[in-house]
């Protein structure tokens, strides 16, 4: 297959797609068509992985019991995080909406199988964390695929990963990479919400050093 030269229009659209790939916390509760979700999940299989290990493990969290446990996990971790701030920063943190777990129609817990034999250990002997980086790469492709369909994704990291592993009854060798809320965003934006509310300012340029 010859190298594919994409058009200027495609490159413009791809740039817009990356700009609109925001971390979504505010979702509508509308259901997602299963066929659309399935097409987006195929992105995992297109992702690179160290040694072709494909270490991603996806759990679809659907039962009321599992979702309640995940939400409780977040609330406990979020309360602890709030206590780590003081003054105006604490007040601002307390007003942040940091999860769409109560609204998002689809919720996924994505793990890395650190003990997988697939890939024969190639590339992971010196850097075993490459398996986890591979999972993050797959999540990024999934994220872009969702956004291309008009859907949004919210990455919930304010969690106790060991408690999540226990609550979802997954193997102990699986390491939680993130809990993900998927649904229709209330309003798309090119600007990260944390920037809009004044939590942090995004860097205007990429720092690059030369050795």
């Amino acid at each position: 297959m010859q190298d594919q030269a994409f058009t200027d229009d495609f490159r413009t659209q791809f740039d817009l797609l990356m700009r609109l790939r925001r971390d979504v916390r505010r979702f509508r509760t509308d259901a997602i068509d299963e066929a659309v979700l399935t097409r987006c999940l195929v992105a995992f299989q297109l992702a690179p992985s160290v040694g072709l290990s494909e270490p991603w493990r996806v759990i679809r969290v659907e039962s009321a019991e599992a979702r309640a446990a995940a939400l409780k996990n977040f609330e406990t971790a979020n309360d602890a995080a709030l206590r780590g701030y003081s003054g105006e920063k604490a007040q601002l943190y307390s007003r942040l909406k940091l999860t769409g777990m109560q609204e998002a129609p689809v919720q996924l817990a994505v793990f890395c199988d650190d003990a997988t034999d697939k890939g024969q250990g190639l590339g992971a002997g010196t850097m075993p964390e490459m398996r986890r980086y591979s999972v993050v790469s797959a999540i990024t492709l999934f994220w872009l695929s969702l956004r291309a369909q008009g859907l949004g994704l919210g990455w919930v990291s304010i969690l106790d990963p060991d408690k999540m592993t226990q609550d979802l009854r997954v193997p102990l060798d699986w390491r939680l990479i993130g809990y993900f809320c998927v649904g229709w965003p209330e309003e798309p934006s090119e600007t990260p919400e944390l920037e809009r509310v004044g939590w942090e300012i995004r860097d205007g340029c990429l720092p690059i050093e030369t050795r």
Side-chain angles (χ1 to χ4, degrees):
M1 180 184 296
Q2 295 181 343
D3 289 342
Q4 176 67 55
F6 293 103
T7 65
D8 288 341
D9 181 62
F10 176 88
R11 287 189 285 270
T12 298
Q13 290 295 100
F14 183 65
D15 180 74
L16 176 61
L17 177 65
M18 290 190 290
R19 292 177 183 277
L20 290 174
R21 184 229 46 83
R22 300 272 62 85
D23 193 327
V24 178
R25 289 86 180 271
R26 303 176 189 278
F27 294 95
R28 308 198 316 254
T29 57
D30 312 40
I32 299 173
D33 186 285
E34 280 296 316
V36 172
L37 180 62
T38 298
R39 284 200 300 272
C40 293
L41 285 167
V42 167
F44 275 85
Q45 296 172 286
L46 300 177
S49 61
V50 64
L52 200 57
S53 57
E54 299 180 301
W56 39 79
R57 305 291 181 262
V58 181
I59 301 294
R60 189 161 176 175
V61 184
E62 291 194 328
S63 71
E65 177 186 7
R67 288 199 176 191
L71 180 59
K72 179 64 175 177
N73 189 331
F74 164 79
E75 291 171 341
T76 300
N78 193 48
D79 288 344
L82 175 58
R83 292 193 295 272
Y85 297 101
S86 61
E88 292 183 2
K89 210 65 173 179
Q91 293 179 20
L92 178 55
Y93 185 93
S94 68
R95 296 194 299 269
L96 295 175
K97 181 172 175 55
L98 296 173
T99 179
M101 295 167 78
Q102 292 179 306
E103 300 86 20
V106 173
Q107 298 180 31
L108 308 170
V110 179
F111 295 82
C112 176
D113 183 356
D114 284 337
T116 183
D117 291 330
K118 196 170 191 302
Q120 315 303 313
L122 192 157
T126 51
M127 294 182 66
E129 64 271 23
M130 284 298 297
R131 294 191 183 97
R132 299 183 187 182
Y133 298 159
S134 298
V135 178
V136 174
S137 295
I139 291 165
T140 300
L141 293 190
F142 175 56
W143 205 334
L144 291 172
S145 182
L146 288 168
R147 200 68 205 94
Q149 297 288 339
L151 292 162
L153 179 145
W155 188 324
V156 184
S157 60
I158 306 173
L159 294 165
D160 178 341
D162 294 332
K163 186 70 166 61
M164 182 67 71
T165 297
Q166 176 184 343
D167 289 340
L168 294 179
R169 301 187 298 277
V170 302
L172 295 179
D173 288 327
W174 290 15
R175 185 64 179 175
L176 182 71
I177 301 301
Y179 190 95
F180 300 93
C181 298
V182 179
W184 301 102
E186 285 186 353
E187 182 180 4
S189 174
E190 292 187 23
T191 307
E193 183 169 346
L194 292 180
E195 185 176 359
R196 294 201 305 271
V197 301
W199 180 262
E200 189 55 272
I201 298 174
R202 200 172 198 185
D203 289 338
C205 62
L206 174 66
I208 301 178
E209 299 184 14
T210 302
R211 296 289 188 269

